[in-house]
Amino acid sequence: MAFRIVADSSANLSAADGAELSSVPLIITAGSRSFVDDEALDVREMIDFLAANKGRSTTACPGPGDWMAAFGEAEEVVCVTITSGLSGACNAARIAAEDYERLHPGRRVLVVDTLSTGPEMELVVERLRLLHEQGRTLDEMAEEIALYRKSTHLVFSLQSMRSLVNNGRVSPAVAALAGLMNIRLVGIASEEGTLQPVRKCRGEKRTLEGLLGVMEEHGYAGGKVRIAHCENPEAAQALTDGILSRFPEADVSVRLTRGLCSYYAEQGGVLIGYEG
Ligand code: X90
């Protein structure tokens, strides 16, 4: 029975991450340019363009038709979406799921609203692949993932919140923090799937300590860690070293943010998904 996991592009994954995996792109628009966050996107070039063109820019989530196209002819589909608290992607996936099930009686679609993004979605996708290998049904996956998500978290550091503020993705109270000079914001995905600031850090070293500190406070004890960074390999390496020095057996991996996360996290931004 054909099985597909379809994640939106904020998960930073591509077909190379698994044969049963498809990515549905969000779109970044800046001035006259549109950047489709698919495998063809030159993320570097997009970042350079955005840096040189400080005018209005925005993002758009995939529509139901985009999700549906990615389902292919699969009999069982799991959609893994960016938080419904900040994007319409999950809502579009739910509409696509209903249409698909109605058009193809017998086929099933499960929609997982991760209330998060980036590397926490990556953890969910990995767990789904494992459950599929174990021969679990879609209903069992729904239960297992709901349980698993109670133990996973997202923490991130942002050099700037320009895109988040300009696009109204943070509350006015959080936006007010954006103006602080030389201060990096360390935040987490809240229970409701919104950006919750937890620390203000001065300088890279303090920021890295802040990120590791937040992980520890939320019960990190050697579980899986998935790091995604926007042109900040030094931070990713320092974090990996910091984690491995305390938990030598930890499964830590690093990847680059793709278009959507690069746009919002901006240069230097780091996101960490982990099991608490
Ligand atoms: O539908 C759309 O246009 C996409 C909107 C996405 C808005 C937020 C993306 C955030 C990316 C930066 C910090 C992480 C915050 C996560 C809080 C749950 C990454």
Side-chain angles (χ1 to χ4, degrees), residues 26 59-61 82-83 86-88 154 156 164 169 189 193-195 264 271:
L26 286 98
T59 60
C61 66
I82 184 171
T83 172
L86 294 177
S87 171
L154 180 77
F156 47 86
L164 284 161
R169 306 286 169 172
T194 55
L195 188 157
Y264 281 107
L271 297 103

Side-chain angles (χ1 to χ4, degrees), residues 245-262:
S245 72
R246 296 218 36 220
F247 302 99
E249 304 295 312
D251 169 2
V252 184
S253 71
V254 175
R255 66 171 68 233
L256 293 168
T257 50
R258 297 206 44 78
L260 195 274
C261 283
S262 296

